[in-house]
């Protein structure tokens, strides 16, 4: 299977934090939610056959002109 997804927002842009009522909480931002939903639709449309139950290998090709932490981009994809 092969999927082409948009480059995800950085982890710092996906997660937001708030402290209402004295408790710190994290939540997924609108930008993060939109990326996850779009990616899920692409993967659901491209999936064929039965559910995979064996070990798999994931290869990620990242095309970007920006200098940034590569690990920060892989986290949402994985």
């Amino acid at each position: 299977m092969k999927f082409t997804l948009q480059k995800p927002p950085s982890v710092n842009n996906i997660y937001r934090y708030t402290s209402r009522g004295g408790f710190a909480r994290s939540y997924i931002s609108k930008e993060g939610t939109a990326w996850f939903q779009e990616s899920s639709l692409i993967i659901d449309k491209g999936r064929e056959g039965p559910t995979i139950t064996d070990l798999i290998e994931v290869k990620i090709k990242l095309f970007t002109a920006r200098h940034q932490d590569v690990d920060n981009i892989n986290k949402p994809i994985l």
Side-chain angles (χ1 to χ4, degrees):
M1 289 181 269
K2 181 179 179 179
F3 305 105
T4 303
L5 306 176
Q6 293 292 324
K7 186 179 84 168
S10 72
V11 173
N12 295 331
N13 288 330
I14 290 177
Y15 297 100
R16 298 284 184 227
Y17 301 94
T18 186
S19 59
R20 292 184 182 228
F23 295 100
R25 297 173 193 210
S26 65
Y27 63 95
I28 298 176
S29 67
K30 289 180 184 179
E31 183 182 8
T33 300
W35 184 83
F36 283 121
Q37 288 175 344
E38 179 183 334
S39 298
S40 294
L41 289 173
I42 291 170
I43 291 170
D44 285 344
K45 287 180 183 178
R47 218 172 26 179
E48 297 176 4
T51 302
I52 299 170
T53 56
D54 294 328
L55 295 175
I56 63 168
E57 180 178 321
V58 176
K59 293 182 181 181
I60 299 171
K61 289 185 180 181
L62 180 63
F63 301 98
T64 182
R66 288 182 52 201
H67 177 70
Q68 61 191 95
D69 183 9
V70 175
D71 225 19
N72 215 6
I73 295 175
N74 289 336
K75 289 175 186 176
I77 295 170
L78 294 175

